[in-house]
Amino acid sequence: TRIHAGKIWLNGELVPQEEARVSVLAHALHYGTSVFEGIRAYETDEGPAIFRLEEHVERLFHSAKILRLEIPYTPEQIANAIVETVRTNGWKSCYIRPLAWFGATSLGVNPLPNNPADVMIATWEWGAYLGEEAVRKGAKLVASSWRRFPGDVMPGKAKAGGNYVNSALAKMDALAAGADEALLLDKEGYVAEGSGENLFFVKNGVIHAIEHSVNLPGITRDSVIEIAEDLGYAVKEAYRVTREILFTADEVFMTGTAAEVTPVSMIDHRPIGTGSAGELTMQLRKVYLEAVTGKRPEYRKWLTFVK
Ligand SMILES: Cc1[nH+]cc(COP(=O)(O)O)c(CN[C@@H](CCC(=O)O)C(=O)O)c1O
């Protein structure tokens, strides 16, 4: 594998990456019945700090509850294991991927005999999610022919492995179309989110956050809303937005742990605003990166230092 994850926490033990193996009979491998998180640790002047660890661990447990998956550890034990995995690998900054899954007790669609869950935590260095170019010039999006699934079809509020077949299909087709990312609409054609990010748009100085609806309730989305309000901007939840609202917005940007704050400069071959990274977007990106690297005292509440 090209991923250099060093030591991986697997069911309570830190083991070398090549020994962190899973059975080919694991229920989750066959049916997508896993839950996971995407978290980042950033370098600060007091060592690495994990961003909003508590909220991510809480969401992991909510995702597991939705799938009736039993994680055989407490949230505190998982949080401590995440800190320990970052510390043991000596990362200055890294991406953190906890994963819990129905293991290999039995196959067949019913996952319940496969409780309690197997759990792993992997860490690796991961730069700009959509590439430095997309950050500098703004990402190019195309509306996907794959729709975001309705809430009564798949649980979009659970960060569940199986949900990402939808994201993978949308992402592959967006890249094949020469774009950087997919814009997923919901079944009624309203803007939902990216394959791995939430979406915002700016109009006349007002910031609009696409409502949760069928989307993953993003922690970065929540953080950027708080930062924007602290900067004095008006922020509104945007409901049932059709894509042409984005075409005529002054700015569009995406948020996510991996994507951080990424400007969007083109959607369906239409330049957004000036056709480059939006000014307000890049201000929010700057403050967000200051917050995650401990340079903003008011947001140190979000940091867990890995001493
Ligand atoms: C579908 C989706 N929507 C929104 C978000 C933003 O959520 P948050 O990270 O809490 O702000 C993510 C995170 N996507 C994660 C996984 C990306 C991947 O390629 O895997 C991430 O950003 O870590 C999603 O996967």
Side-chain angles (χ1 to χ4, degrees):
T1 170
R2 286 170 299 149
I3 300 170
H4 302 288
K7 289 205 181 313
I8 291 178
W9 191 92
L10 175 60
N11 292 330
E13 300 294 324
L14 274 165
V15 301
Q17 169 175 347
E18 51 282 357
E19 291 171 25
R21 314 185 77 76
V22 66
S23 165
V24 293
L25 301 178
H27 191 274
L29 188 59
H30 295 243
Y31 304 112
T33 48
S34 63
V35 294
F36 69 99
E37 267 303 321
I39 314 171
R40 275 190 188 269
Y42 288 91
E43 184 173 6
T44 77
D45 51 15
E46 293 168 63
I50 301 169
F51 188 64
R52 300 197 78 175
L53 174 58
E54 199 177 323
E55 289 84 349
H56 280 284
V57 171
E58 181 185 40
R59 190 170 65 184
L60 180 72
F61 277 78
H62 288 173
S63 301
K65 180 170 194 174
I66 293 166
L67 265 64
R68 295 179 62 187
L69 178 67
E70 289 160 23
I71 294 177
Y73 301 96
T74 64
E76 294 72 28
Q77 287 172 317
I78 295 295
N80 293 336
I82 288 169
V83 172
E84 193 51 36
T85 306
V86 174
R87 177 188 295 119
T88 304
N89 283 292
W91 299 120
K92 286 196 172 58
S93 64
C94 66
Y95 182 80
I96 304 161
R97 174 57 60 87
L99 177 77
W101 68 95
F102 281 110
T105 311
S106 78
L107 279 175
V109 166
N110 174 28
L112 291 185
N114 296 275
N115 267 328
D118 285 312
V119 184
M120 79 95 189
I121 299 162
T123 53
W124 63 82
E125 289 180 319
W126 208 2
Y129 184 57
L130 295 175
E132 288 302 332
E133 176 102 354
V135 171
R136 244 194 347 274
K137 295 187 174 169
K140 290 181 177 43
L141 269 50
V142 286
S144 181
S145 62
W146 299 97
R147 296 297 175 90
R148 190 78 176 131
F149 37 77
D152 58 356
V153 169
M154 296 291 277
K157 302 269 181 310
K159 208 168 169 67
N163 288 351
Y164 287 79
V165 170
N166 175 249
S167 293
L169 290 165
K171 181 79 177 203
M172 282 189 285
D173 290 3
L175 293 174
D180 298 306
E181 186 52 271
L183 166 64
L184 285 103
L185 308 175
D186 65 20
K187 276 310 285 168
E188 295 166 276
Y190 295 108
V191 171
E193 57 183 336
S195 71
E197 313 91 348
N198 292 117
L199 272 165
F200 288 74
F201 66 93
V202 181
K203 187 79 178 170
N204 303 327
V206 177
I207 297 171
H208 299 264
I210 299 296
E211 52 151 342
H212 279 163
S213 174
V214 295
N215 309 318
L216 188 76
I219 292 167
T220 315
R221 174 183 182 281
D222 179 69
S223 310
V224 167
I225 288 173
E226 184 166 334
I227 289 170
E229 288 175 339
D230 289 349
L231 290 172
Y233 290 107
V235 183
K236 290 183 178 171
E237 295 248 303
Y239 293 87
R240 299 169 79 78
V241 170
T242 49
R243 80 180 90 173
E244 63 266 32
I245 299 283
L246 298 187
F247 294 162
T248 54
D250 300 325
E251 301 185 28
V252 172
F253 62 92
M254 299 184 286
T255 62
T257 297
E260 297 165 325
V261 178
T262 299
V264 172
S265 56
M266 180 86 74
I267 302 179
D268 285 352
H269 317 293
R270 295 156 176 85
I272 305 303
T274 59
S276 56
E279 220 170 280
L280 199 161
T281 301
M282 297 314 271
Q283 180 193 8
L284 289 174
R285 175 180 171 82
K286 175 175 169 293
V287 177
Y288 177 77
L289 292 176
E290 288 168 354
V292 301
T293 52
K295 299 185 181 69
R296 290 261 173 165
E298 66 270 39
Y299 303 120
R300 288 173 78 96
K301 63 184 179 182
W302 286 335
L303 305 184
T304 300
F305 289 94
V306 176
K307 288 273 184 257

